């Protein structure tokens, strides 16, 4: 109980312009999400006593739900704590065990707040649609109290057994599929849909974020360049997905092949172009759609 950050709070950054700048640095696109976050900020600036919000980011894998949440924490200047709910089956994981049990522990939410060291952290509840219930109880039902701004100011964890105030916590949950979240739980959250990226957005993400990151990871900064046609060639010919995880993997695969040539001393530097992709990555996986306009057997 003494380990919990009872009176510690971080000073929240409520400057909308500064927050917008941080969100734009970290992510390209995702305009609806950014707008929604900045609106929340603006409201908090005018009414600081507002209880914490609960946002739910829904979208296909790899579009950056978790990384958006992390970047929101940076923009708000709040401490961040993440807990993954994938495969949590036991209600005690959320609410804590009674102290009489052997190996009793506080629940995940209290544990995350204790780790973050402040009373107003940003809690990211990952994979909220993967909660599973069994004979031990239903963790989704245990979350109902924690995620309700009306009643979470006296959240009662069985292990601590005294009311704990969660009303200053900013909850962000992520999910791939809204359908598998129980109705009452979905009702408590503000759902924001993250659409899949367009071709141009993917190119910009690859150029500004993925390529520099992977060049650094492979130790090839300054030795390998990729032109626009090569990146578009990878996006159109080798990846078809909503997010950018496969795109990052394919870029890394190209860089590894370049690294091998450079390490073997065959070349000093490599400039990857679209014409080299076939020899580096093999034949194209995604064929253009116009080839099969006529009906075939």
């Amino acid at each position: 109980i003494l380990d919990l950050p009872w009176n510690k709070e971080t000073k929240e950054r409520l400057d909308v312009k500064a927050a917008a700048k941080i969100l734009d640095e970290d992510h390209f696109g995702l305009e609806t999400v950014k707008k929604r976050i900045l609106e929340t900020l603006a409201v908090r600036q005018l009414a600081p006593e507002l209880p914490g919000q609960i946002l739910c980011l829904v979208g296909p894998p790899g579009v950056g739900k978790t990384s958006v949440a992390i970047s929101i924490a940076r923009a708000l200047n709040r401490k961040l704590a993440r807990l993954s709910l994938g495969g949590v089956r036991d209600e005690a994981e959320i609410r804590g065990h009674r102290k009489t049990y052997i190996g009793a522990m506080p629940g995940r939410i209290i544990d995350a707040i204790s780790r973050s060291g402040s009373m107003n952290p940003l809690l990211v509840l990952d994979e909220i649609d993967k909660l599973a219930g069994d004979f031990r109880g239903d963790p989704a039902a245990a979350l109902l109290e924690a995620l309700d701004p009306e009643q979470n100011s006296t959240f009662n964890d069985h292990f601590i057994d005294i009311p704990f105030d969660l009303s200053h916590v900013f909850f962000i949950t992520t999910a791939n599929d809204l359908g598998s979240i129980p109705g009452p739980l979905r009702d408590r959250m503000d759902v924001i849909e993250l659409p899949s990226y367009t071709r141009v957005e993917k190119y910009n993400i690859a150029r500004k974020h993925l390529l520099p990151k992977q060049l650094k990871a492979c130790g090839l900064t300054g030795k390998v360049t990729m032109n626009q046609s090569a990146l578009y060639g990878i996006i159109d010919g080798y990846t078809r997905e909503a997010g950018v995880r496969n795109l990052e993997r394919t870029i890394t695969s190209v860089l590894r092949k370049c690294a091998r040539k450079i390490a073997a001393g065959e070349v000093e530097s490599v400039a990857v172009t679209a014409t080299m992709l076939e020899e580096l990555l093999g034949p194209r996986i995604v064929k253009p759609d116009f080839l099969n306009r006529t009906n075939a057997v």
Side-chain angles (χ1 to χ4, degrees):
I1 288 178
L2 295 178
D3 278 347
L4 288 173
W6 290 99
N7 296 317
K8 293 181 192 151
E9 288 206 352
T10 49
K11 178 91 175 69
E12 196 171 18
R13 179 193 292 127
L14 292 174
D15 181 356
V16 177
K17 277 187 182 160
K21 188 163 168 274
I22 289 176
L23 289 171
D24 284 337
E25 271 171 25
D26 290 354
H27 291 89
F28 184 87
L30 301 180
E31 294 310 320
T32 47
V33 185
K34 288 179 187 169
K35 266 190 207 146
R36 180 70 188 73
I37 301 302
L38 296 173
E39 284 161 15
T40 307
L41 266 188
V43 171
R44 284 193 75 85
Q45 194 171 332
L46 302 172
E49 289 310 302
L50 204 68
Q53 258 90 9
I54 292 130
L55 299 181
C56 180
L57 305 176
V58 179
V63 292
K65 297 183 290 294
T66 310
S67 64
V68 162
I70 291 169
S71 136
I72 292 170
R74 201 163 79 92
L76 292 174
N77 189 30
R78 284 186 178 220
K79 294 278 205 302
L80 175 82
R82 268 189 64 203
L83 50 150
S84 182
L85 298 175
V88 168
R89 288 200 307 269
D90 194 350
E91 203 175 307
E93 296 258 354
I94 309 288
R95 274 210 173 271
H97 303 80
R98 297 239 171 254
K99 291 192 283 290
T100 50
Y101 287 107
I102 293 176
M105 286 164 64
R108 299 248 184 136
I109 292 181
I110 294 288
D111 184 49
I113 287 174
S114 169
R115 278 201 319 262
S116 72
S118 91
M119 284 295 270
N120 63 343
L122 185 133
L123 275 195
V124 183
L125 309 179
D126 252 339
E127 313 288 357
I128 199 168
D129 54 336
K130 311 284 190 303
L131 278 173
D134 67 357
F135 63 93
R136 295 194 200 90
D138 185 3
L143 271 178
L144 291 179
E145 185 193 2
L147 295 186
D148 189 347
E150 297 301 317
Q151 50 179 334
N152 68 5
S153 56
T154 54
F155 177 73
N156 194 351
D157 187 283
H158 292 323
F159 186 77
I160 294 173
D161 221 14
I162 47 178
F164 188 84
D165 185 3
L166 291 180
S167 63
H168 300 293
V169 178
F170 194 143
F171 287 99
I172 292 187
T173 63
T174 71
N176 296 133
D177 168 34
L178 264 186
S180 48
I181 303 176
L185 189 56
R186 194 173 31 196
D187 201 38
R188 282 165 167 69
M189 305 187 289
D190 236 339
V191 176
I192 303 177
E193 299 260 350
L194 274 81
S196 53
Y197 291 116
T198 62
R199 185 170 175 258
V200 178
E201 282 175 339
K202 281 186 188 175
Y203 166 71
N204 278 290
I205 291 167
R207 191 173 58 85
K208 291 179 182 162
H209 299 286
L210 306 180
L211 190 56
K213 178 176 147 194
Q214 292 306 331
L215 282 170
K216 193 175 163 200
C218 297
L220 294 173
T221 313
K223 296 178 183 167
V224 175
T225 55
M226 261 192 195
N227 64 7
Q228 183 178 354
S229 62
L231 284 173
Y232 271 128
I234 290 176
I235 292 165
D236 297 337
Y238 294 91
T239 61
R240 174 176 282 175
E241 49 166 359
V244 288
R245 281 206 187 118
N246 258 339
L247 176 59
E248 185 168 16
R249 227 170 271 142
T250 315
I251 287 174
T252 316
S253 167
V254 171
L255 293 182
R256 279 199 306 267
K257 291 176 170 58
C258 299
R260 187 179 159 192
K261 284 183 183 173
I262 291 171
E266 295 170 26
V267 283
E268 288 288 310
S269 63
V270 183
V272 180
T273 58
T275 46
M276 294 161 64
L277 290 178
E278 294 249 340
E279 78 174 83
L280 291 171
L281 293 170
R284 289 178 57 155
I285 298 166
V286 182
K287 297 284 190 280
D289 287 339
F290 60 80
L291 290 179
N292 47 13
R293 273 197 190 140
T294 52
N295 292 334
V297 175

